[in-house]
Amino acid sequence: MTTKRTGLIGWPVAHSLSPKIHAYWIKQYGLDATYELFPTPPELLEKTFSELRRNGVTGFNITIPHKQTSMKFIDAVDAVATRIGAVNAVSLRQGMLHSTNTDAYGFMKNLESSPKWSDSALKNVLILGAGGAARAAIVALKDAGCKNLIICNRTNDTAAELARELHAENITWEEKNSHLAEVTLLINATSLGMTGKSPLEIDLSKLYNRAIVHDIVYAPLNTPLLAAAAARGNPTVDGLGMLLYQAQAAFAIWHGITPEVTPELRAHVLDHAGDASPLRHSEPGERAVSPRSGAEG
Ligand code: NAP
């Protein structure tokens, strides 16, 4: 039997947590498989695709900055990835590259697996951001039955276009504080609050006191938004679970086993994030200092 090769295309990818997650499960299930890094600058993307196809890899993840541009090198893109407009998991079957987007699954599964979760949080959702991660989150929220979804983004044209495309509402960046009293789920899907970036400027004083606050940024784990929300007693959900669950879905596609996302896996990823990782700077009240993000998404 030949070793199954899987891995990750991105640029840069050196600090990705995905190898740690996949290696943990490969070992746990005793599989003859690898998860490798395929660092690929944009100008070499096409070449990497043909090499991986020729070498007969089982599958690979795609991360920043290739989630959208990779679509043209893939033979079959499934419905969820088409709606999101980006791919993050590819599998090679009978010489054909098939792809999907497991971020939407990862996003929703992370929320639903949280002990803080309640379906009533889907009543009035405000999502900040209109980039790739926001698109995946919005598709997931719509599929979960969310009817009242407001998109708010620094560049309003992007949010307005996305709201039209995915049948949601739109408010401007300046209006975000004035909607918080009715919000049952507040999501940060911008890169604000991430290590090396500015914090998200938002006034939570009017936020509904039972609103769940979710930050998809996971480096640091305890973002300034989550810290501020927890300080006023709102339930919070961090973004690490989204990374773990999107990996779970990809692993299931490639190996035919749905691995468990456990507290032990979470601890393993945190323990093995490395001294320089932004995840190491995630204790409440502690602010990360590294200018490098180390995060993938
Ligand atoms: P992206 O496509 O580049 O989108 C970035 C978003 O952040 C856009 O909405 C952008 O607004 C906004 N933004 C950036 N700088 C801003 C600023 N100074 N003020 C206000 N808004 C600003 O990135 P992405 O792929 O969506 O990723 C966003 C974040 O999610 C990253 O931190 C990433 O690590 C994280 N993520 C986490 C996971 C996970 O598994 N937990 C998965 C995917 C992504 P404009 O449109 O105005 O530029």
Side-chain angles (χ1 to χ4, degrees), residues 226-249:
L226 294 185
R232 66 189 299 284
N234 284 84
T236 61
V237 181
D238 70 51
L240 183 58
M242 178 175 171
L243 183 75
L244 301 178
Y245 283 109
Q246 65 74 31
Q248 178 192 57

Side-chain angles (χ1 to χ4, degrees), residues 188 190-200 215 217 219-220 223-224 287:
N188 176 39
T190 73
S191 45
L192 291 173
M194 193 172 159
T195 304
K197 304 268 175 160
S198 314
L200 169 68
D215 205 328
V217 169
T223 62
R287 292 291 295 120

Side-chain angles (χ1 to χ4, degrees), residues 16 34 36 68 95 226 256:
S16 167
T34 61
E36 304 162 40
Q68 278 134 345
L226 294 185

